[in-house]
Amino acid sequence: MTVESTAAARKPRRASKRTSAAKKPQSSEPQLVQLLTPEGERVEHPDYSIDLSADELRGLYRDMVLTRRFDAEATALQRQGELGLWASLLGQEAAQIGSGRALRDDDYVFPTYREHGVAWCRGVDPTNLLGMFRGVNHGGWDPTTNNFHLYTIVIGSQTLHATGYAMGVAKDGADSAVIAYFGDGASSQGDVAESFTFSAVYNAPVVFFCQNNQWAISEPTERQTRVPLYQRAQGYGFPGVRVDGNDVLACLAVTRSALERARRGEGPTLVEAFTYRMGAHTTSDDPTKYRADDERAAWEAKDPILRLRTYLENSGHADEAFFAELETESETLGKRVREVVRAMPDPEPLSLFEHAYADGNSLVDEERAQFAAYQASFADSAEEGK
């Protein structure tokens, strides 16, 4: 056999290996930490346990219901032209409420732009979240009041902020912890990789909470990673855990454990909340273009609110009076959100130039004067037309 024929004979086998590697499926799905099944049955886990009173269980249910109502109202307001954009959390209530209620008052939160449930847990008025989406401010709350940072639009950058803040917490000798929220799409960003490196090396008291809702806009998770996201933590030298992101009890237990670990000085933890984005990425997105209806239907059966309600009813921890009262409270919240948003005053146009520099800047002053003259020209034109 000639050298050429030998090479030709071998070539298909090499191509076959490459093809096989490209199509090799991910390893079998790891077990989720789960304490409440989709059917609403309470189960135990050997590493994570939680014992909540009936009042606490009802409180978690109330949090999720009211957060969902607020989110639905915001979506409707955007469709009516009252908001420029909205990023819905529909389907992710358990991940956010569970992790949010695991926090202490002195812990600090760095959110993305979708953590409406966590904001609720931190005591941020829901209507304050809407100012930015209406275009009347850059964030309507003081981060230091609730230890809840302003929403971050730049994908993944808040993980760096959280890591730096956590390093400062450690240097101060405080026993508080920091949590950074991000999505599966952000896990592909270099900022997140850098955050993992620094937090591990400096043993920062930070929890990285990744809400894997399966879709980075239109990009599925399998197009971003060859292994489950939580396993990435191993390469940086700290633990990772995957939790059922639609199980509010499991999210609470796992996040609480990770935060306690951080406070003990044992460094960062990556929590992957395996959940699903039931709606669009934002109101500018149409998910029917890239995902199937049967996929969404399968996740509807795992609805976080429905499963907790089933458990509350079957265990006798809540009665119809509780659910009826909550429905009334939900309607009241929806009405207040509508009224507050529509009454938000437009900002003074020249305020655009405020707070750019602490001590002023000649270029900004010049631009302000030019813009003021431009604004005044409309008044002059209107006067001339009379």
Side-chain angles (χ1 to χ4, degrees):
M1 182 178 287
T2 65
V3 173
E4 290 81 3
S5 62
T6 301
R10 290 177 177 174
K11 189 173 182 180
R13 286 197 293 272
R14 289 199 298 270
S16 175
K17 288 181 180 179
R18 286 196 295 269
T19 303
S20 175
K23 294 183 178 181
K24 183 179 179 181
Q26 294 186 20
S27 57
S28 59
E29 290 293 334
Q31 291 294 315
L32 297 168
V33 175
Q34 187 179 83
L35 299 177
L36 191 63
T37 70
E39 295 75 29
E41 297 179 3
R42 186 74 167 82
V43 294
E44 297 298 327
H45 191 277
D47 299 321
Y48 299 95
S49 62
I50 195 166
D51 184 18
L52 300 176
S53 67
D55 284 342
E56 290 172 321
L57 290 168
R58 288 192 296 268
L60 292 173
Y61 182 81
R62 174 181 177 271
D63 288 338
M64 290 196 292
V65 168
L66 294 180
T67 299
R68 178 172 290 188
R69 177 52 192 268
F70 161 71
D71 181 68
E73 204 64 50
T75 300
L77 285 166
Q78 194 283 328
R79 298 306 190 199
Q80 296 164 13
E82 301 291 348
L83 302 178
L85 187 74
W86 184 248
S88 173
L89 60 61
L90 184 62
Q92 299 176 219
E93 294 89 354
Q96 296 194 15
I97 298 302
S99 61
R101 288 304 182 195
L103 294 160
R104 290 191 333 206
D105 289 343
D106 59 340
D107 294 332
Y108 205 98
V109 179
F110 286 86
T112 65
Y113 45 80
R114 201 188 301 273
E115 272 67 60
H116 320 314
V118 184
W120 172 270
C121 293
R122 299 305 280 176
V124 177
D125 190 317
T127 60
N128 285 342
L129 304 177
L130 300 173
M132 180 177 67
F133 293 96
R134 188 171 171 84
V136 301
N137 59 44
H138 297 296
W141 64 93
D142 180 355
T144 61
T145 300
N146 308 84
N147 280 5
F148 184 81
H149 201 266
L150 298 177
Y151 275 1
T152 302
I153 307 300
V154 178
I155 305 300
S157 65
Q158 73 279 2
T159 59
L160 287 172
H161 308 156
T163 298
Y165 192 95
M167 291 165 61
V169 166
K171 287 182 179 295
D172 288 342
D175 71 340
S176 57
V178 179
I179 189 168
Y181 289 88
F182 61 101
D184 47 292
S187 70
S188 297
Q189 293 289 335
D191 285 357
V192 175
E194 292 172 11
S195 302
F196 287 1
T197 298
F198 271 83
S199 64
V201 171
Y202 288 93
N203 208 44
V206 59
V207 174
F208 296 105
F209 194 92
C210 176
Q211 293 176 83
N212 180 2
N213 63 20
Q214 314 302 312
W215 291 93
I217 307 182
S218 59
E219 196 77 357
T221 306
E222 59 264 23
R223 302 288 285 276
Q224 300 190 74
T225 179
R226 300 295 296 171
V227 298
L229 293 177
Y230 82 98
Q231 291 184 3
R232 288 184 173 181
Q234 298 176 9
Y236 295 88
F238 58 87
V241 58
R242 175 182 274 188
V243 60
D244 183 346
N246 285 21
D247 176 356
V248 68
L249 304 185
C251 288
L252 174 59
V254 169
T255 308
R256 180 179 288 171
S257 175
L259 290 167
E260 290 172 350
R261 180 177 179 276
R263 296 188 194 103
R264 291 194 301 268
E266 297 177 22
T269 302
L270 172 60
V271 177
E272 178 193 358
F274 199 73
T275 182
Y276 192 76
R277 193 194 75 213
M278 295 298 293
H281 174 70
T282 68
T283 47
S284 66
D285 172 44
D286 180 5
T288 63
K289 300 291 186 182
Y290 54 81
R291 68 184 190 189
D293 291 340
D294 57 350
E295 178 183 289
R296 187 182 192 281
W299 278 92
E300 282 181 344
K302 305 174 186 178
D303 182 83
I305 295 179
L306 179 60
R307 75 167 70 180
L308 183 55
R309 175 165 183 156
T310 300
Y311 175 68
L312 288 172
E313 291 176 332
N314 292 344
S315 61
H317 290 320
D319 55 19
E320 285 304 316
F322 165 76
F323 296 115
E325 182 179 346
L326 182 56
E327 179 63 25
T328 300
E329 185 180 6
S330 176
E331 291 296 324
T332 301
L333 174 62
K335 180 181 179 182
R336 184 170 75 87
V337 168
R338 292 192 299 272
E339 292 174 347
V340 171
V341 167
R342 289 168 177 156
M344 285 181 178
D346 292 336
E348 166 58 41
L350 290 178
S351 66
L352 173 70
F353 300 93
E354 295 176 2
H355 312 300
Y357 290 89
D359 300 321
N361 180 276
S362 58
L363 178 59
V364 173
D365 292 341
E366 180 182 344
E367 292 172 340
R368 180 191 291 108
Q370 291 174 348
F371 186 69
Y374 173 71
Q375 290 287 105
S377 69
F378 291 102
D380 294 341
S381 298
E383 189 65 28
E384 292 174 359
K386 289 183 179 179

